[in-house]
Amino acid sequence: MKRVLSRSFPIACLVVSGLGLSAIAQAPAPAPAAPATATATDAAPAGTATAPTGATRVAVINFQAAVFQTNEGKRNIGELQKKFDPKRAQLKAQSDEIDTLKKQLQASGDKLSDAERQNRTRSIDEKEKALQRDGEDASNDYEQEMQQAYQQVAEKVFAVVTSYASQNGFGVVLDQSAGSQQQLPTVLWANPGTDITKAVIDAYNVKSGIPAPPTEAPAPHAVAPGSHTPATPARPSGTTSH
């Protein structure tokens, strides 16, 4: 009855000159080359951006890891886990009680009358249904609050990604935490020198001013009460995918 946080959040982090992927798809085709006799003013009218020359620099980032490994992300997840600790303990107590009643019923053998056996069996069934309902409610509450906690930090981390990419001359940033099931770009291999995950985390921590939480804080993948189904946090606004 436990839910494990998904490690494949649907986040697209493609940044081209500060724009999302949709801007790439909708960009017009390059204009025909100007005649050799054309002047620089004729080739590039005032107010028209000049296309960059040379190869486009590409970076990769594990966006999900970046969100949860920031000091703010660690702090928020730790607080959320502590908030749900009482509910997790309650569900465990309910489960333990059911296990005990089942063992007692099995150990009774033929000592119980049919009516008593039916009563105990019915009581166990009712407790199991109650546990399932409580677990589902707790899991839904946890998932909703996890999504909110993730979204709050992801919005700000995405802003740092675009700023870092722009300042360091990257034309494209690919999210290697995105899986093919979300139909997002999947990075099969990348030179470690192109990974900006840690750099973004460090930049975010400096910008937020939030200190690192105590080392005993729960890890981002700590389990939620009530289910095995992965949670799926929402994508931060301003990102796009195909």
Side-chain angles (χ1 to χ4, degrees), residues 83-92 94 134-135 138-139 225:
K83 178 178 180 179
F84 279 85
D85 278 346
K87 174 59 67 175
R88 188 177 293 105
Q90 174 190 330
L91 294 174
K92 184 179 185 306
Q94 290 176 253
D134 292 344
S139 181

Side-chain angles (χ1 to χ4, degrees), residues 136-240:
E136 290 176 352
D137 289 344
S139 181
N140 290 336
D141 291 343
Y142 180 90
E143 177 178 342
Q144 182 177 359
E145 294 200 29
M146 175 63 74
Q147 289 176 339
Q148 293 174 352
Y150 178 85
Q151 184 79 6
Q152 290 172 358
V153 181
E155 294 278 357
K156 293 180 284 187
V157 170
F158 183 75
V160 172
V161 171
T162 59
S163 175
Y164 181 90
S166 177
Q167 293 174 4
N168 289 273
F170 290 104
V172 177
V173 178
L174 299 177
D175 181 10
Q176 62 182 348
S177 65
S180 58
Q181 61 181 352
Q182 282 88 35
Q183 297 182 347
L184 299 177
T186 299
V187 179
L188 299 182
W189 180 87
N191 188 307
T194 66
D195 191 333
I196 63 173
T197 303
K198 186 178 185 305
V200 168
I201 293 172
D202 293 341
Y204 184 88
N205 287 339
V206 171
K207 182 177 180 180
S208 69
I210 298 175
T215 54
E216 66 269 19
H221 58 271
V223 294
S227 174
H228 290 287
T229 306
T232 306
R235 123 188 14 259
S237 61
T239 62
T240 56

